[in-house]
Amino acid sequence: MKGMSSIVKKITQLLSGMIFLYGIYIITHGHLTPGGGFAGGAIIAASLIILVLAFGGDELTVVKRKEGSSVTESLAILAFLLFASFALIIGTNIFFHNYLPEGIIGNLVSAGVIPLYNILVGIEVAAALFTIILAFIIYKEEISK
Amino acid sequence: MEIILSIVLIFMIIGALFALHARDLLSALISCGIVGYGLVICFLLLKAPDLAIVQIVVETITLIIMIAVVLDSTRHELEKTAIEKKWKSLINSKALINVLITVIIGIVLLYSFRLAITHLNPFGEHILRMSEAYLYGGADKTGSANLVTGVLFDFRGYDTFGEATILFTAAIGVLTILRIKGRK
């Protein structure tokens, strides 16, 4: 897969980091403002996808990235399951029990385990979408050889 | 608000119909985009910003990928094939029956819809008692200011875990199908 022109490359370099930061903001403020793990993860995946589309498959060594994102995705969902089943050990025997202190409503650090779940789901969604795109690109590269 | 919603919905229907019948694949994709972004406006009008954010991001990613695929392949749809000609002759012979069936089903659906909406509350008012419990007690129970996230990760945490597992399964499925090494 070829890259695009140098104008597109430069603008993508400038914008991609800001889109990534916006995704992180959406994820970490998921329990305060609209948004959350799914939306923020999709935004982060978009910031990586436009990099791949603008620079092409060769310059970023796509195969290694695919391994990394696949492992990240699997670890994120495993951590999500572990955090959820940790409530079975601590205190009450309820799956998905909110076992951390809730804090003051409206603070950034509040709502117990919900921000942690948000972050893990965000990592999972971003890595899964990015893995799917990279799998398509690698398949096309291997077919065209 | 319902008038604006109806106008947006009419635009979405026009976009979907044009996407079906467009000869150029790129214009078909862009009219698909009309449907998706119209849905975003509907979500915003119905006061669901969480859904609107997810919809706008996913729609943009899908459009970008599909446009990249279309620009990389042959842009124009192939001209009428033999199958299409065969379909056309079939349609001509059975056109009357098809139209009759469509009209009858449409009348039945409209009648049952009219029967169903007579006992509903006005548009936008909640009906279930459960939703009142979520609305007025959810913030205190979960400690989350955004009620949607509170419901998603506390009351319906198991459901959210299933959704995340679906994404995981989708990624594994794509990786399994699209491999060349190791497949014979």
Side-chain angles (χ1 to χ4, degrees):
Chain A
M1 192 173 168
K2 281 191 299 181
M4 295 188 188
S5 68
S6 60
I7 300 172
V8 179
K9 282 182 185 174
K10 201 68 202 171
I11 290 177
T12 310
Q13 275 180 342
L14 290 175
L15 281 183
S16 174
M18 288 187 206
I19 299 174
F20 196 90
L21 274 181
Y22 183 62
I24 289 177
Y25 162 76
I26 290 275
I27 289 178
T28 50
H29 287 67
H31 56 295
L32 302 178
T33 53
F38 285 99
I43 291 173
I44 288 180
S47 78
L48 299 173
I49 286 167
I50 59 168
L51 268 184
V52 172
L53 285 181
F55 282 87
D58 304 323
E59 295 184 33
L60 277 168
T61 59
V62 178
V63 180
K64 284 180 189 170
R65 308 274 163 177
K66 192 191 79 173
E67 304 294 330
S69 67
S70 181
V71 170
T72 312
E73 172 210 13
S74 313
L75 283 181
I77 192 124
L78 187 64
F80 189 24
L81 181 58
L82 284 181
F83 265 106
S85 49
F86 201 56
L88 288 174
I89 306 168
I90 289 184
T92 52
N93 296 327
I94 304 169
F95 199 43
F96 275 100
H97 185 245
N98 200 342
Y99 47 85
L100 290 180
E102 283 170 6
I104 306 160
I105 296 177
N107 280 6
L108 184 58
V109 181
S110 67
V113 283
I114 290 177
L116 295 176
Y117 286 156
N118 254 329
I119 292 169
L120 288 174
V121 166
I123 295 172
E124 151 73 19
V125 170
L129 287 179
F130 193 49
T131 311
I132 291 174
I133 301 305
L134 286 187
F136 283 135
I137 290 173
I138 290 170
Y139 181 70
K140 188 170 174 293
E141 297 267 311
E142 286 180 346
I143 280 289
S144 60
K145 264 179 194 171
Chain B
M1 190 185 71
E2 290 178 27
I3 301 171
I4 306 173
L5 257 184
S6 318
I7 294 172
V8 174
L9 282 176
I10 288 171
F11 267 108
M12 284 166 65
I13 291 173
I14 293 174
L17 285 178
F18 185 77
L20 277 178
H21 293 286
R23 277 277 154 214
D24 192 2
L25 276 181
L26 197 60
S27 48
L29 274 184
I30 290 168
S31 46
C32 273
I34 294 176
V35 179
Y37 291 116
L39 196 59
V40 173
I41 298 174
C42 288
F43 283 149
L44 282 178
L45 286 176
L46 295 173
K47 291 167 188 165
D50 295 80
L51 275 177
I53 291 175
V54 175
Q55 172 68 23
I56 202 167
V57 174
V58 171
E59 183 68 31
T60 311
I61 293 178
T62 337
L63 267 186
I64 286 174
I65 293 163
M66 286 199 291
I67 285 178
V69 169
V70 164
L71 290 182
D72 219 38
S73 58
T74 53
R75 181 168 156 184
H76 288 277
E77 209 175 355
L78 297 176
E79 286 305 310
K80 286 172 189 168
T81 52
I83 302 171
E84 203 170 335
K85 279 176 188 168
K86 194 181 163 190
W87 269 106
K88 217 154 212 184
S89 63
L90 265 182
I91 285 169
N92 281 335
S93 63
K94 292 183 180 174
L96 193 66
I97 303 172
N98 284 338
V99 171
L100 261 180
I101 291 173
T102 314
V103 168
I104 289 172
I105 289 179
I107 288 173
V108 169
L109 280 180
L110 272 179
Y111 180 68
S112 39
F113 178 69
R114 201 178 156 278
L115 279 186
I117 61 170
T118 46
H119 299 294
L120 279 183
N121 285 15
F123 189 64
E125 286 184 17
H126 51 82
I127 310 159
L128 302 169
R129 268 183 303 158
M130 199 63 208
S131 63
E132 282 180 17
Y134 282 148
L135 273 178
Y136 301 119
D140 292 330
K141 278 178 186 163
T142 62
S144 146
N146 183 9
L147 206 58
V148 177
T149 310
V151 172
L152 268 183
F153 287 96
D154 199 301
F155 297 119
R156 297 266 182 269
Y158 199 54
D159 203 353
T160 311
F161 179 64
E163 287 172 29
T165 318
I166 287 174
L167 252 176
F168 176 70
T169 319
I172 285 186
V174 169
L175 286 180
T176 314
I177 293 171
L178 293 185
R179 73 201 154 129
I180 291 181
K181 292 170 192 165
R183 196 176 70 173
K184 288 183 182 175

